[in-house]
Amino acid sequence: MADSPKLPEPPGTPDAPATPDVHAAPDVPTTPAAPGPVDGRVRWRRFAVLTVPAIAVTAGLGIALAQGALAASFAVSGQQFKVSAKSLEGEGFAQYGSVDVNAREELIPVAVTAIKEAKLNSLCQSVVTTLPVIGDISLNLTAGQKKPVEASNLFVDATQLAGDAVFTNIEIGRDASTLDKGPADAQGMQDLFAQQADRVSITDLQQTAWATNAGTFKLSGLSMNISKGKKECF
């Protein structure tokens, strides 16, 4: 008996699609995370560099106030004045650095020259004020043309001094808090530079100052005048 012809096999049934897992997390497209807030950072070294000098100045001013080491005992004006003399003879000289304070409480560095007893010949003092519309107005004071001007416990808070000077028994570089040759109150802050001498003689004196204090100030032949324009002692 002849073999029966083979019938072709039916095409295979395609695989059924996989049943989705309801518990699986859905695919979510990822996006870069937004940057979070950046914490502020202090550069402590820079902070210290900026603040330490201010703290030191404040502390130094506090010490100066406590020790009475500020120069003038009053608020100085906003103008410097000029002083000249043909000669100055002084007994008990001291000089040291300090600060003046103006009405705005701003600090002004000065060099304090203190003399127990001083005599000045041909004294001149001038200050120039500039006014709106009017312009420059000069105030000039002169004294001691014939008889010397006399001052005791004289303090001058200056920013400039010039002349030919001779000192007797001078001490240069002494601690300002240990001065003892000038007036009783002529002392600065501890560790600051100072100098002192038994006597001082200055010819052709010229100085620019913020303030002058004196226990007594005898002005022989005093003359004062105001004029328009700039007329200074030097």
Side-chain angles (χ1 to χ4, degrees):
M1 183 174 181
D3 293 334
S4 301
K6 281 187 175 183
L7 296 176
E9 294 181 358
T13 304
D15 294 336
T19 303
D21 186 354
V22 296
H23 299 290
D27 292 336
V28 178
T30 58
T31 57
V38 178
D39 293 336
R41 291 179 296 176
V42 177
R43 297 181 181 275
W44 292 107
R45 183 175 299 176
R46 182 179 299 176
F47 177 80
V49 169
L50 294 176
T51 57
V52 168
I55 294 172
V57 170
T58 304
L61 178 58
I63 294 172
L65 288 167
Q67 295 179 346
L70 291 179
S73 58
F74 51 85
V76 301
S77 74
Q79 295 179 281
Q80 295 189 77
F81 56 92
K82 292 185 175 182
V83 177
S84 67
K86 185 175 181 180
S87 65
L88 178 150
E89 300 292 332
E91 297 285 336
F93 167 86
Q95 192 173 62
Y96 54 94
S98 188
V99 290
D100 282 343
V101 181
N102 63 20
R104 295 184 178 86
E105 297 185 354
E106 297 169 334
L107 303 183
I108 302 170
V110 294
V112 178
T113 298
I115 303 174
K116 276 185 178 181
E117 301 291 338
K119 292 183 179 181
L120 301 97
N121 289 291
S122 299
L123 173 69
C124 173
Q125 177 179 302
S126 66
V127 61
V128 178
T129 300
T130 302
L131 300 176
V133 182
I134 298 176
D136 291 335
I137 299 294
S138 297
L139 169 64
N140 290 77
L141 180 152
T142 58
Q145 303 297 328
K146 296 180 179 180
K147 185 179 179 181
V149 170
E150 297 181 5
S152 63
N153 295 326
L154 176 66
F155 289 79
V156 181
D157 304 345
T159 56
Q160 175 270 336
L161 185 148
D164 298 320
V166 177
F167 299 93
T168 303
N169 296 327
I170 189 168
E171 299 173 355
I172 300 174
R174 182 163 177 147
D175 188 297
S177 67
T178 67
L179 295 172
D180 57 9
K181 291 188 176 183
D185 296 330
Q187 291 184 337
M189 292 178 63
Q190 185 175 341
D191 297 329
L192 292 189
F193 173 91
Q195 56 187 2
Q196 65 177 5
D198 290 339
R199 288 182 294 277
V200 60
S201 176
I202 304 176
T203 57
D204 298 325
L205 170 69
Q206 295 181 348
Q207 64 182 359
T208 305
W210 284 103
T212 296
N213 293 331
T216 60
F217 208 24
K218 298 179 181 180
L219 301 168
S220 61
L222 172 64
S223 175
M224 184 184 72
N225 65 80
I226 296 177
S227 57
K228 190 174 180 180
K230 185 175 290 186
K231 298 178 182 179
E232 299 180 285
C233 296
F234 60 90

